[in-house]
Amino acid sequence: MTDTSRAAMLLEQLDHLNAQQLRRLLVEHLTKQKLGLYWEANAIERDAALNADLVLPRLVEEWSCAPSPLTPLPEGEGNKLPLRSGEGWGEGAFTHRNLIIEGDNYDSLRLLRATHAGKIRVIYIDPPYNTGNKDWVYNDHYVGANDRWRHSQWLEFLYRRLTLARDLLTPDGVILVSINDENRARLELLMDEVFPKMRLGSLVWRTKDTGNDLSQRFSHVHEHVLAYANAGFKFNGRATDRSKFRNPDKDTRGDWSPQPLTSNKTLIERKNTYYPIQDPDTGYWYPCDPDTVWRFSSEKEIRKRLNGDEVAIEAALKGLRSDTIEQLIEKKLIYFPPCKPSEVMQFASREELLAAIKAGKGPMLPKKKTPLLRADLPDLDFWVGKPIATGRPSRKEHWTAKPEEDRLAPLSSWIAGMNEEVAALSEYEDDEPLILRSARGGVATDEVKEALGSKSFPYPKPLSLIKGLLAQATHHHDIVLDFFAGSGTTGQAVLELNAEDASTGSAQVGQRRFILCSSTEANKKEPDKNLCRDVCAERMRRVIKGYGGKPGYTLEQGGEFAYLQLDKVEAADAHFEIDAAHAFQLLALKRLGVVCAASEGAVQRLGRVEDCELLVCNEVNAETIKTLAAWPQQHGVSRLAVYSTRHKTLSEQLAARGVEANCYSLMDALLSGQRGNAA
Ligand SMILES: C[S@@+](CC[C@H](N)C(=O)[O-])C[C@H]1O[C@@H](n2cnc3c(N)ncnc32)[C@H](O)[C@@H]1O
């Protein structure tokens, strides 16, 4: 649509409004202030993907990946479902837990909203970036740099998909989104709108070592990963190393680790906590670092500052939120490192001290080697004649002081390169945030080539990047969704993490599951193109089988997937067009989160939840009622949940035979979660 025809369309819309409606619109336009992002959703062509029809999954067995021969998973937490044929299952049927869904992700997300609402813990996406280099398609045409509505179309496209994705997250779920620097601000404002109050922050990933865009006079060598999470989410962080807790001074309270006594304030910012500390046992003194003054107040200093005014002193001491340094010393919570008499410094005069400072031989911070005493400090005379120790006092943090799960170093917002040297920020390792490491972007293209042979894929993400993010964001049994899956890097990262759990000796076997949604990218020029089947699923198949000397993945580690295509049915035609296989797949996904080839027959078994068998009854007649009535005894269960188009009749018939069964409307179950999709 051209700009002129868009303008004509808008004018035509306004033609239908009466004077009153036009006045109201104008007032609203002039007075309504909108803070944040605005895009012209009404002016652009409607996204052809936005539909109110129903989306139904169809299993494509020949493009799926199941182990051969079929081996059942061992029993374990989160793994209570039968994995192969049992009675009621199709012969040789296999229950898939990982999914690859082909099609426009708007449809895939609509399906998932009906089957996985509130069940996905981690979503990672790497959407097209809207670079202007025709890197994405809106309504069947590539959006280029000169498209006047480029940004609006991109925002509208993402808005529609993110609003669906939001409903999929668990109460402790997180969504991580890769984006380049150019589009970060726009996307972040959009995310603020879709995920209000959920912003955690952004991570910065360095994409290349050297810049190559000289014309811009600015070298773009980094990208961002935006993180938005529900209230219950926490990155895993780094667990505190228990071996760092020791007991060199035989403290009766047990092992402890040294924590910094300093704050992040300077002498200028907080002169009240700039004071010398003395070890009461040795009499040695420790100067305060003027760049990072002590974290704790000193009663002695307060008294000095308030000039003996007892009322003011008492009020000041009462107002303190933590112990004073004197109290900490008294409680033996300050550790003074041993210092040999030969290492103690002492200066007989101010001149001698100044000369030592000038020669760089005065008291220093042990690691950073920056001077602790300087010529311009207010208390220089104090130090004349005092024995000054070399080490730094620290605060003792006993292992028993807090629960182990609270002892985590937080994740750093900086993703370092694989070999990048990251200087320690402080002398105390436990204080350091956890830094993820990722390869540069170029490595990812080779990774895809290595798995797929000659086939190439534009702009994949490095495995190490996604793996690092998922290692920090997931727990052992989480479902990970990527609805811009491209070459499937996220799926491979999930399998690698599952396998690594076993090799790192983790008590739990990783059973993360993946859902990858990918478009075919078929277009007028290449109508038969199928990126989802030929790149995403093919990569996963080769990864699972093992390639280039890599061993592949066992069923236990998640080495399988179901390949799903989507059928769309107008709501009005649902009664005629939804067949038994559709119903079976949708219900299996909804109730059990799995996919399995539907068995033949009028009564189909979906699976078991505790002591209840889930069944679909496609025909209600004397035969099926007899089968259902005999089911509990035959299969050793106490209850049935049966989906049927004639659920009321079925319910009456089973009740009359004394069978405990909840019968549900098959149509209601299929339609629920699918309604209200219209844009
Ligand atoms: C930047 S790539 C993702 C690359 C991926 N992270 C990887 O490592 O391979 C973005 C992908 O989104 C896909 N895509 C774009 N629009 C889509 C849509 N509406 N539905 C599904 N996929 C779409 C494109 O085909 C492309 O493969």
Side-chain angles (χ1 to χ4, degrees):
M1 194 186 269
T2 62
D3 287 353
T4 340
S5 53
R6 265 194 206 102
M9 190 181 81
L10 273 178
L11 278 175
E12 201 196 308
Q13 283 172 2
L14 293 178
D15 275 349
H16 297 293
L17 303 182
N18 61 31
Q20 172 80 2
Q21 287 168 322
L22 279 171
R23 235 180 279 129
R24 204 179 305 135
L25 199 69
L26 189 61
V27 169
E28 199 176 289
H29 182 74
L30 293 174
T31 56
K32 200 165 129 191
Q33 293 199 339
K34 193 169 188 298
L35 186 64
L37 192 62
Y38 179 79
W39 72 98
E40 297 98 334
N42 291 329
I44 57 175
E45 203 181 333
R46 189 172 186 272
D47 186 343
L50 308 187
N51 275 305
D53 51 18
L54 308 176
V55 213
L56 297 159
R58 182 163 36 78
L59 174 67
V60 185
E61 278 186 84
E62 61 273 31
W63 297 345
S64 302
C65 176
S68 155
L70 295 174
T71 39
L73 263 179
E75 276 291 314
E77 192 50 41
N79 176 30
K80 301 220 168 79
L81 297 166
L83 268 162
R84 57 163 307 169
S85 57
E87 274 189 79
W89 290 105
E91 192 45 46
F94 176 77
T95 315
H96 294 281
R97 296 148 62 86
N98 295 314
L99 311 177
I100 295 184
I101 309 178
E102 176 195 296
D104 190 302
N105 54 11
Y106 185 76
D107 296 329
S108 315
L109 286 165
R110 287 197 296 141
L111 170 72
L112 292 172
R113 195 181 59 173
T115 58
H116 285 72
K119 292 183 186 161
I120 310 271
R121 178 124 191 298
V122 179
I123 300 178
Y124 168 78
I125 53 166
D126 173 21
Y129 283 178
N130 186 28
T131 58
N133 295 331
K134 302 203 166 183
D135 63 335
W136 73 290
V137 173
Y138 188 77
N139 286 350
D140 232 13
H141 66 267
Y142 280 99
V143 182
N146 296 327
D147 191 317
R148 189 176 153 202
W149 306 98
R150 165 153 81 96
H151 298 305
S152 285
Q153 288 177 50
W154 184 72
L155 288 165
E156 178 67 6
F157 168 82
L158 287 181
Y159 174 74
R160 295 289 174 184
R161 284 152 181 84
L162 290 170
T163 39
L164 285 177
R166 179 183 56 197
D167 295 345
L168 305 182
L169 289 175
T170 57
D172 60 350
V174 66
I175 175 164
L176 303 165
V177 187
S178 277
I179 192 66
N180 64 355
D181 195 56
E182 188 192 336
N183 289 290
R184 183 198 60 79
R186 263 184 288 274
L187 180 61
E188 201 157 18
L189 287 172
L190 181 75
M191 300 280 293
D192 285 346
E193 185 146 330
V194 180
F195 302 95
K197 301 202 179 121
M198 287 169 64
R199 184 177 185 278
L200 280 184
S202 68
L203 295 108
V204 182
W205 166 52
R206 182 154 173 188
T207 52
K208 26 188 171 175
D209 286 314
T210 49
N212 51 8
D213 204 345
L214 297 177
S215 62
Q216 290 198 343
R217 287 169 293 156
F218 200 62
S219 210
H220 292 277
V221 293
H222 74 284
E223 286 191 1
H224 305 264
V225 179
L226 310 184
Y228 284 72
N230 277 329
F233 175 79
K234 257 207 285 200
F235 280 113
N236 294 332
R238 171 170 42 76
T240 301
D241 184 353
R242 175 71 175 86
S243 68
K244 298 260 161 55
F245 284 70
R246 301 209 187 107
N247 200 350
D249 57 351
K250 308 224 169 4
D251 190 324
T252 51
R253 292 162 290 192
D255 292 351
W256 55 270
S257 101
Q259 296 300 313
L261 252 191
T262 48
S263 68
N264 55 1
K265 298 279 189 279
T266 64
L267 164 61
I268 298 168
E269 290 169 291
R270 199 194 277 169
K271 60 175 186 297
N272 292 348
T273 56
Y274 177 78
Y275 53 83
I277 294 180
Q278 188 179 29
D279 177 351
D281 294 334
T282 61
Y284 296 159
W285 288 89
Y286 296 83
C288 184
D289 179 0
D291 295 328
T292 51
V293 295
W294 305 125
R295 187 171 288 190
F296 301 95
S297 298
S298 153
E299 181 176 342
K300 200 167 145 201
E301 290 300 307
I302 291 174
R303 289 189 172 279
K304 207 158 67 182
R305 189 161 36 89
L306 296 176
N307 232 349
D309 178 345
E310 281 305 325
V311 179
I313 292 169
E314 199 179 321
L317 290 175
K318 254 194 180 158
L320 295 179
R321 275 174 297 169
S322 52
D323 282 349
T324 60
I325 191 74
E326 290 83 1
Q327 287 167 322
L328 291 170
I329 292 174
E330 176 76 30
K331 290 179 184 172
K332 301 226 174 290
L333 285 173
I334 301 297
Y335 179 68
F336 296 96
C339 177
K340 291 186 200 139
S342 58
E343 289 166 355
V344 174
M345 293 184 182
Q346 206 152 9
F347 304 95
S349 66
R350 182 182 171 89
E351 289 66 37
E352 202 180 302
L353 174 56
L354 282 172
I357 292 172
K358 200 166 170 202
K361 294 198 168 144
M364 297 268 181
L365 270 182
K367 268 199 184 159
K368 287 194 197 158
K369 298 286 174 221
T370 51
L372 284 164
L373 293 183
R374 297 189 313 233
D376 61 341
L377 290 176
D379 62 341
L380 211 57
D381 288 335
F382 172 87
W383 294 100
V384 174
K386 300 270 185 328
I388 307 171
T390 43
R392 302 300 288 156
S394 54
R395 187 175 55 83
K396 287 174 163 186
E397 163 95 21
H398 289 92
W399 179 255
T400 48
K402 56 181 169 188
E404 197 168 342
E405 59 271 22
D406 290 350
R407 293 194 173 280
L408 294 174
L411 184 64
S412 160
S413 58
W414 174 252
I415 301 174
M418 282 306 195
N419 303 313
E420 184 180 326
E421 259 188 53
V422 184
L425 299 174
S426 89
E427 300 164 52
Y428 302 91
E429 203 186 305
D430 286 341
D431 230 28
E432 298 289 332
L434 169 81
I435 294 183
L436 294 185
R437 288 192 179 267
S438 160
R440 306 291 189 228
V443 168
T445 312
D446 298 338
E447 285 170 350
V448 177
K449 271 206 184 132
E450 203 192 334
L452 283 176
S454 56
K455 262 182 227 147
S456 66
F457 176 82
Y459 306 117
K461 286 287 179 279
L463 198 53
S464 46
L465 174 73
I466 303 188
K467 222 171 109 182
L469 292 170
L470 296 184
Q472 267 307 304
T474 56
H475 296 152
H476 297 281
H477 289 102
D478 288 339
I479 305 179
V480 177
L481 165 68
D482 183 345
F483 57 89
F484 285 102
S487 69
T489 314
T490 302
Q492 185 168 354
V494 164
L495 296 188
E496 287 204 4
L497 281 178
N498 281 349
E500 269 172 28
D501 278 348
S503 67
T504 51
S506 161
Q508 280 180 304
V509 173
Q511 286 186 12
R512 297 167 191 83
R513 297 154 69 168
F514 62 77
I515 301 178
L516 307 177
C517 307
S518 173
S519 59
T520 58
E521 286 194 357
N523 53 47
K524 279 183 200 132
K525 270 195 199 154
E526 297 174 279
D528 297 328
K529 184 171 179 184
N530 193 336
L531 178 94
C532 184
R533 177 194 60 200
D534 300 337
V535 175
C536 186
E538 185 58 22
R539 176 180 183 178
M540 288 313 298
R541 198 169 294 116
R542 293 187 191 201
V543 164
I544 287 167
K545 217 170 143 200
Y547 65 93
K550 293 188 181 155
Y553 294 90
T554 63
L555 191 53
E556 194 180 16
Q557 294 160 342
E560 57 80 18
F561 61 83
Y563 191 100
L564 296 180
Q565 286 183 325
L566 301 175
D567 291 331
K568 294 200 270 176
V569 173
E570 286 297 330
D573 299 334
H575 286 274
F576 315 107
E577 293 202 14
I578 296 180
D579 63 24
H582 280 140
F584 184 87
Q585 299 306 356
L586 193 75
L587 284 173
L589 270 177
K590 216 181 236 217
R591 293 297 311 259
L592 305 165
V594 300
V595 169
C596 175
S599 57
E600 299 290 318
V603 176
Q604 295 170 307
R605 178 175 179 268
L606 285 166
R608 185 182 295 190
V609 176
E610 291 162 4
D611 65 339
C612 180
E613 288 270 302
L614 306 182
L615 305 165
V616 180
C617 177
N618 292 307
E619 271 170 52
V620 177
N621 55 32
E623 183 86 3
T624 49
I625 291 172
K626 199 170 143 209
T627 308
L628 288 170
W631 199 284
Q633 208 178 8
Q634 208 170 2
H635 297 268
V637 284
S638 50
R639 290 181 303 130
L640 302 180
V642 192
Y643 294 89
S644 164
T645 43
R646 292 177 56 207
H647 64 289
K648 284 192 182 137
T649 314
L650 195 58
S651 183
E652 284 163 14
Q653 295 289 333
L654 291 176
R657 285 163 176 76
V659 179
E660 197 184 324
N662 287 327
C663 299
Y664 302 100
S665 155
L666 183 61
M667 265 310 140
D668 283 356
L670 296 180
L671 297 181
S672 86
Q674 294 246 9
R675 288 187 174 125
N677 291 317

